[in-house]
Amino acid sequence: MRGVKKDNLPTKLCPVCNRPFTWRKKWERDWEHVKYCSDRCKKQKIVAT
């Protein structure tokens, strides 16, 4: 079997929309620095400040 079981993926809460989001392969190198679930939430954070 390839990959990681989806049940075991780490999750975080997005500070903008307060929804949980799970680890993605593209975030593998910098998961500890990922704060937002999407570019949309990232942009809303900048506007709200």
Side-chain angles (χ1 to χ4, degrees), residues 6 8-9 11 16 20 23 26-27 29 36 43-44 48:
K6 293 186 179 188
N8 299 329
L9 295 176
T11 62
V16 176
W23 180 91
K26 71 178 189 176
W27 293 332
R29 291 187 186 139
Y36 306 103
K43 289 175 187 175
Q44 284 182 347

Side-chain angles (χ1 to χ4, degrees), residues 3-4 9-10 12 14 17-19 21-22 26-28 32 34 36 38-40 44-47:
V4 179
L9 295 176
K12 292 184 179 183
C14 177
C17 66
N18 293 318
R19 292 183 181 174
F21 62 98
T22 56
K26 71 178 189 176
W27 293 332
E28 184 174 24
E32 60 275 352
V34 174
Y36 306 103
S38 64
D39 288 336
R40 181 180 180 196
Q44 284 182 347
K45 176 257 176 192
I46 294 169
V47 171

